[in-house]
Amino acid sequence: MGKIRVQEFVSLDGVFENPSWTAEYGFTDEMGESIGHLTESSSAILLGRTTYEMFAPAWSGRTAEDDPGAPFFNNSPKHVVSSTLTSADEWQNSTVLGAYAPQAIRKLKEETDGIYISGSGTLVRALLADGLIDELHLLVYPVVLGSGAKLFPEGTQRIPLALAAQEAFRNGVVHLTYGPAKS
């Protein structure tokens, strides 16, 4: 059974939407290696509809020369959780799973060597609530944005987690890895 590993770029105040604000900090080789370890341990990608609609045009035209992550994003099977999409044909190897259903995600975990998720806040919150996320990787940027969609907005249910690892990069970004808290 594969693990579900989530990777998110977040500000100190928890904003994760449209991470164009991360550009001023650069993307270090160490950050690339860290994210590369996540993608290398995954054989599939799971996305919510909104993130899929942002990623498809952004990644589908990229090559390995443009970005070393392009082969993973373009060649891996992509599964889209959506109650409104009927097709995901605009990005190769993409299928629509339908509305969120924990049992469908469990089945997908059983059929893969690992699943990578980025963005997809609504999906991530549901997966956490259902105990389906094995590793939550937060790349925390040293900035307070003051506004924007938060990964865990007001009203998110309490979910205890345990710190599994931490890593600091020279640009001030900190990579925090969390897993389920031991009962």
Side-chain angles (χ1 to χ4, degrees):
M1 178 183 292
K3 290 184 176 185
I4 293 181
R5 294 176 177 92
V6 176
Q7 178 265 306
E8 303 285 359
F9 298 110
V10 296
S11 66
L12 283 173
D13 55 343
V15 174
F16 81 113
E17 78 173 331
N18 184 13
S20 59
W21 48 266
T22 65
E24 68 185 86
Y25 295 92
F27 193 80
T28 69
D29 290 341
E30 295 81 15
M31 291 171 72
E33 290 171 15
S34 186
I35 293 172
H37 290 304
L38 295 176
T39 59
E40 289 166 4
S41 62
S42 301
S43 61
I45 300 171
L46 183 63
L47 300 165
R49 179 196 51 82
T50 302
T51 301
Y52 171 79
E53 290 176 341
M54 291 185 319
F55 277 23
W59 283 103
S60 60
R62 288 187 193 171
T63 66
E65 292 76 33
D66 300 324
D67 187 307
F72 170 76
F73 282 97
N74 288 319
N75 299 334
S76 296
K78 290 165 283 295
H79 305 277
V80 185
V81 174
S82 173
S83 61
T84 57
L85 282 182
T86 56
S87 168
D89 294 338
E90 62 271 13
W91 194 9
Q92 67 187 26
N93 304 319
S94 298
T95 58
V96 177
L97 285 179
Y100 177 75
Q103 65 276 19
I105 306 300
R106 282 185 192 93
K107 184 175 186 281
L108 188 60
K109 277 181 81 167
E110 291 172 4
E111 297 170 350
T112 67
D113 293 330
I115 300 170
Y116 173 83
I117 301 174
S118 183
S120 308
T122 301
L123 174 61
V124 167
R125 288 186 290 277
L127 292 167
L128 267 174
D130 288 329
L132 292 170
I133 291 178
D134 299 286
E135 296 176 7
L136 178 62
H137 296 263
L138 302 177
L139 276 77
V140 183
Y141 283 73
V143 61
V144 173
L145 295 174
S147 65
K150 297 190 181 204
L151 182 58
F152 302 111
E154 186 73 28
T156 301
Q157 79 176 57
R158 184 179 189 274
I159 301 170
L161 300 170
L163 183 65
Q166 71 271 340
E167 178 179 23
F169 303 113
R170 65 179 179 266
N171 60 354
V173 175
V174 179
H175 177 182
L176 302 172
T177 303
Y178 292 95
K182 304 294 185 223
S183 301

